[in-house]
Coordinates of all heavy atoms in Angstrom, one line a residue:
E65 N 1.0 -29.6 96.5 CA 1.4 -28.8 95.5 C 1.7 -29.5 94.3 O 2.1 -30.7 94.4 CB 2.6 -28.0 96.1 CG 2.4 -27.1 97.3 CD 3.7 -26.5 97.7 OE1 4.8 -26.7 97.2 OE2 3.6 -25.6 98.7
P66 N 1.7 -28.8 93.1 CA 2.1 -29.5 91.9 C 3.7 -29.7 91.9 O 4.4 -28.9 92.3 CB 1.7 -28.5 90.8 CG 0.6 -27.7 91.4 CD 1.0 -27.4 92.9
H67 N 4.1 -30.9 91.4 CA 5.5 -31.2 91.4 C 6.3 -30.5 90.3 O 5.9 -30.5 89.1 CB 5.7 -32.7 91.2 CG 7.1 -33.2 91.2 ND1 7.9 -32.9 92.3 CD2 7.9 -33.7 90.3 CE1 9.2 -33.4 92.1 NE2 9.1 -33.9 90.8
N68 N 7.2 -29.6 90.7 CA 8.0 -28.8 89.7 C 7.1 -27.9 88.8 O 7.4 -27.8 87.7 CB 8.8 -29.6 88.9 CG 10.0 -30.4 89.7 OD1 10.3 -29.9 90.8 ND2 10.4 -31.6 89.3
A69 N 6.0 -27.4 89.3 CA 5.1 -26.6 88.5 C 4.8 -25.4 89.2 O 3.8 -24.7 88.9 CB 3.8 -27.5 88.4
I70 N 5.5 -24.9 90.2 CA 5.3 -23.7 90.8 C 6.4 -22.6 90.5 O 7.4 -22.9 90.6 CB 5.3 -23.8 92.5 CG1 4.1 -24.8 92.9 CG2 5.3 -22.5 93.0 CD1 4.1 -24.9 94.4
H71 N 5.9 -21.6 89.9 CA 6.9 -20.5 89.4 C 6.5 -19.2 90.1 O 5.4 -18.6 90.0 CB 6.7 -20.4 87.9 CG 6.9 -21.6 87.1 ND1 8.2 -21.9 86.7 CD2 6.0 -22.7 86.8 CE1 8.1 -23.1 86.0 NE2 6.8 -23.5 86.1
R72 N 7.4 -18.7 90.9 CA 7.2 -17.4 91.7 C 7.3 -16.3 90.9 O 8.2 -16.2 90.0 CB 8.1 -17.5 92.9 CG 7.9 -18.5 94.0 CD 8.8 -18.4 95.0 NE 8.5 -19.4 96.1 CZ 8.9 -20.7 96.2 NH1 9.7 -21.1 95.1 NH2 8.6 -21.6 97.0
I73 N 6.5 -15.4 91.0 CA 6.7 -14.0 90.3 C 7.3 -13.0 91.2 O 6.8 -12.5 92.1 CB 5.2 -13.6 90.0 CG1 4.5 -14.6 89.2 CG2 5.3 -12.3 89.3 CD1 3.0 -14.2 89.0
E74 N 8.7 -12.7 90.8 CA 9.5 -11.9 91.5 C 10.2 -10.9 90.6 O 10.9 -11.5 89.8 CB 10.6 -12.7 92.4 CG 9.9 -13.7 93.5 CD 10.8 -14.5 94.2 OE1 12.0 -14.6 93.8 OE2 10.4 -15.2 95.3
P75 N 10.2 -9.7 90.7 CA 10.9 -8.8 89.9 C 12.4 -8.8 90.1 O 12.8 -9.0 91.3 CB 10.3 -7.4 90.2 CG 9.7 -7.5 91.6 CD 9.3 -9.0 91.8
Q76 N 13.1 -8.7 89.1 CA 14.6 -8.8 89.2 C 15.2 -7.5 89.6 O 16.3 -7.5 90.2 CB 15.3 -9.2 87.8 CG 14.9 -10.5 87.4 CD 15.5 -10.9 86.1 OE1 16.3 -10.2 85.5 NE2 15.0 -12.0 85.5
E77 N 14.3 -6.4 89.5 CA 14.9 -5.1 90.0 C 13.7 -4.3 90.5 O 12.5 -4.5 90.3 CB 15.5 -4.2 88.7 CG 16.7 -4.7 88.1 CD 17.2 -3.8 87.1 OE1 16.6 -2.8 86.8 OE2 18.3 -4.0 86.5
A78 N 14.0 -3.4 91.6 CA 13.1 -2.6 92.2 C 12.7 -1.4 91.2 O 13.3 -1.1 90.3 CB 13.6 -1.9 93.4
G79 N 11.4 -0.9 91.4 CA 10.9 0.0 90.6 C 9.5 0.4 90.9 O 8.9 -0.3 91.7
K80 N 8.9 1.4 90.2 CA 7.7 2.0 90.3 C 6.7 1.3 89.4 O 7.0 1.2 88.2 CB 7.7 3.4 90.4 CG 6.3 4.1 90.5 CD 6.4 5.6 90.5 CE 6.6 6.2 89.1 NZ 6.6 7.5 89.0
V81 N 5.6 0.9 89.9 CA 4.6 0.1 89.0 C 3.9 1.2 88.1 O 3.4 2.2 88.6 CB 3.6 -0.6 89.9 CG1 2.5 -1.3 89.0 CG2 4.3 -1.7 90.7
L82 N 3.8 0.8 86.8 CA 3.0 1.7 85.9 C 1.6 1.0 85.6 O 0.5 1.6 85.6 CB 3.8 1.8 84.6 CG 5.0 2.8 84.5 CD1 5.5 2.8 83.0 CD2 4.4 4.1 84.8
A83 N 1.7 -0.3 85.5 CA 0.3 -1.1 85.3 C 0.5 -2.6 85.8 O 1.7 -3.1 85.6 CB 0.0 -1.0 83.8
S84 N -0.5 -3.1 86.3 CA -0.4 -4.4 86.8 C -1.6 -5.2 86.0 O -2.7 -4.9 85.9 CB -0.7 -4.5 88.3 OG -0.8 -5.8 88.7
H85 N -1.1 -6.4 85.6 CA -2.1 -7.3 85.0 C -2.4 -8.7 85.8 O -2.7 -9.6 85.4 CB -1.6 -7.6 83.7 CG -1.4 -6.5 82.7 ND1 -2.3 -5.7 82.1 CD2 -0.2 -6.0 82.4 CE1 -1.8 -4.7 81.5 NE2 -0.5 -4.9 81.6
L86 N -2.1 -8.5 87.1 CA -2.2 -9.7 88.0 C -3.7 -9.8 88.5 O -4.3 -8.7 88.9 CB -1.2 -9.4 89.1 CG 0.2 -9.5 88.9 CD1 0.9 -9.2 90.2 CD2 0.6 -10.9 88.4
A87 N -4.2 -11.0 88.4 CA -5.5 -11.2 88.7 C -5.7 -12.6 89.3 O -5.0 -13.6 88.7 CB -6.6 -11.0 87.7
L88 N -6.2 -12.8 90.5 CA -6.4 -14.3 90.9 C -7.1 -15.1 90.1 O -8.2 -14.8 89.5 CB -7.3 -14.2 92.3 CG -7.1 -15.4 93.2 CD1 -5.8 -15.7 93.5 CD2 -8.0 -15.2 94.4
D89 N -6.7 -16.3 89.9 CA -7.2 -17.5 89.0 C -7.2 -17.0 87.5 O -7.7 -17.7 86.7 CB -8.6 -17.8 89.4 CG -8.7 -18.4 90.8 OD1 -7.5 -19.0 91.3 OD2 -9.7 -18.4 91.4
K90 N -6.4 -16.1 87.2 CA -6.2 -15.8 85.8 C -5.3 -16.7 85.1 O -4.2 -17.0 85.5 CB -5.7 -14.2 85.6 CG -5.5 -13.8 84.2 CD -5.0 -12.5 84.1 CE -4.8 -12.0 82.7 NZ -4.3 -10.6 82.6
Q91 N -5.8 -17.2 83.8 CA -4.9 -18.0 83.0 C -3.9 -17.2 82.2 O -4.4 -16.2 81.5 CB -5.8 -18.8 82.0 CG -6.7 -19.9 82.8 CD -5.8 -20.9 83.4 OE1 -4.7 -21.4 83.0 NE2 -6.3 -21.7 84.5
V92 N -2.6 -17.5 82.3 CA -1.7 -16.7 81.5 C -0.8 -17.8 80.7 O -0.8 -18.9 81.0 CB -0.7 -15.9 82.5 CG1 -1.5 -14.9 83.2 CG2 0.0 -16.8 83.5
N93 N -0.2 -17.1 79.6 CA 0.6 -17.9 78.8 C 2.0 -17.5 79.0 O 2.4 -16.4 79.4 CB 0.3 -17.6 77.3 CG -1.1 -18.2 76.9 OD1 -1.6 -19.4 77.5 ND2 -1.9 -17.6 76.1
E94 N 3.0 -18.2 78.7 CA 4.4 -17.9 78.9 C 4.8 -16.8 78.1 O 4.6 -16.6 76.8 CB 5.3 -19.2 78.5 CG 6.8 -18.8 78.7 CD 7.6 -20.1 78.4 OE1 7.1 -21.2 78.0 OE2 8.7 -20.1 78.6
G95 N 5.4 -15.8 78.7 CA 5.8 -14.6 77.9 C 4.7 -13.3 78.0 O 5.2 -12.2 77.7
D96 N 3.6 -13.5 78.5 CA 2.7 -12.5 78.9 C 3.1 -11.5 79.9 O 3.8 -12.0 80.8 CB 1.3 -13.1 79.3 CG 0.7 -13.8 78.2 OD1 0.9 -13.7 77.2 OD2 -0.5 -14.6 78.6
V97 N 2.9 -10.3 79.6 CA 3.3 -9.2 80.5 C 2.5 -9.2 81.7 O 1.2 -9.0 81.5 CB 3.4 -7.8 79.9 CG1 3.7 -6.7 80.9 CG2 4.3 -7.9 78.7
L98 N 3.0 -9.4 82.8 CA 2.1 -9.3 84.2 C 2.2 -8.0 84.9 O 1.1 -7.5 85.3 CB 2.6 -10.4 85.0 CG 2.7 -11.8 84.6 CD1 3.3 -12.9 85.6 CD2 1.3 -12.3 84.1
V99 N 3.4 -7.3 85.0 CA 3.5 -6.1 85.5 C 4.5 -5.2 84.8 O 5.4 -5.6 84.3 CB 4.1 -6.3 87.1 CG1 4.2 -4.9 87.7 CG2 3.3 -7.1 87.9

Side-chain angles (χ1 to χ4, degrees):
E65 296 178 355
H67 181 58
N68 294 333
I70 296 178
H71 304 268
R72 294 179 175 84
I73 303 174
E74 299 174 350
Q76 300 180 7
E77 290 186 357
K80 185 175 67 174
V81 176
L82 286 182
S84 174
H85 307 287
L86 297 175
L88 190 62
D89 294 336
K90 179 181 178 181
Q91 293 291 334
V92 295
N93 296 321
E94 183 177 358
D96 290 349
V97 177
L98 302 179
V99 182

